[in-house]
Amino acid sequence: MGVITCEKEIALSIPPAKIFKAFVLDGNHLIPKAVPGVIESLALLEGDGGPGSIKQVNFGEGTGYRYVKERIDVIDKENCIYEYTMIEGDVLGSEFEKVSNVVKFEASPDGGSICKGSSKYYTIGDIKVNEEEIDAFKEKQMGLFKAIEAYLLANPDA
């Protein structure tokens, strides 16, 4: 098994606590509204929503994916850190056993936040993976935060 690490950062105009709440704590309801047609639904399958819980993300028809199951590893409200691992689903393809993600929202000087995302892609066996494809996938993941930001700006009471 090989491990490929990918890190990205994106600036957001929303303060850390608010974007964390939208993505992590209210994500099951808010994310499908922020990216309609891309993510159809999120459902808690096991647990209480805390560490160890399993949730399923269901994708829209035109995305090329059906679903991914994620295990919640860490929810740190105080430090705005969320860690989760993709453990099943067609998003993993035939190349990956799992993908572990760490998302951290830090305050930026302008009152917004910096979203820092780090992912570890665990390959199956000695499969060679195109790292440009991983980078493109990570860009899509980071784009989700821009969509949530846009949704929160358009819906301040959300």
Side-chain angles (χ1 to χ4, degrees):
M1 172 190 327
V3 179
I4 300 166
T5 301
C6 182
E7 296 183 0
K8 293 282 182 191
E9 275 187 23
I10 191 167
L12 302 167
S13 61
I14 307 292
K18 186 167 184 170
I19 194 82
F20 179 83
K21 181 178 185 294
F23 177 63
V24 178
L25 305 178
D26 298 337
N28 287 6
H29 306 290
L30 193 141
I31 291 172
K33 294 176 186 175
V35 287
V38 177
I39 295 178
E40 292 293 326
S41 65
L42 290 94
L44 187 62
L45 302 179
E46 296 176 24
D48 61 3
S53 297
I54 305 294
K55 69 179 180 179
Q56 182 168 310
V57 179
N58 298 302
F59 297 98
E61 267 186 48
T63 64
Y65 301 113
R66 287 184 25 242
Y67 78 98
V68 65
K69 287 185 182 177
E70 300 174 347
R71 181 187 66 235
I72 299 169
D73 299 318
V74 173
I75 297 177
D76 182 343
K77 296 176 193 174
E78 185 176 316
N79 294 302
C80 297
I81 298 171
Y82 180 58
E83 297 181 23
Y84 65 100
T85 302
M86 298 176 183
I87 56 172
E88 181 185 314
D90 52 357
V91 167
L92 297 174
S94 59
E95 297 95 0
F96 302 107
E97 176 185 320
K98 64 183 178 180
V99 179
S100 295
N101 299 281
V102 177
V103 179
K104 182 175 185 178
F105 300 99
E106 296 178 350
S108 62
D110 63 1
S113 59
I114 302 294
C115 172
K116 296 181 177 185
S118 176
S119 298
K120 289 185 179 180
Y121 296 77
Y122 294 84
T123 60
I124 296 172
D126 293 328
I127 289 178
K128 296 292 182 207
V129 178
N130 181 338
E131 291 194 33
E132 288 177 4
E133 289 179 21
I134 289 176
D135 196 50
F137 183 74
K138 189 67 179 168
E139 283 293 328
K140 287 180 184 177
Q141 283 182 312
M142 297 305 281
L144 173 61
F145 299 112
K146 289 305 270 185
I148 293 170
E149 173 189 47
Y151 182 83
L152 290 174
L153 291 172
N155 302 278
D157 297 328

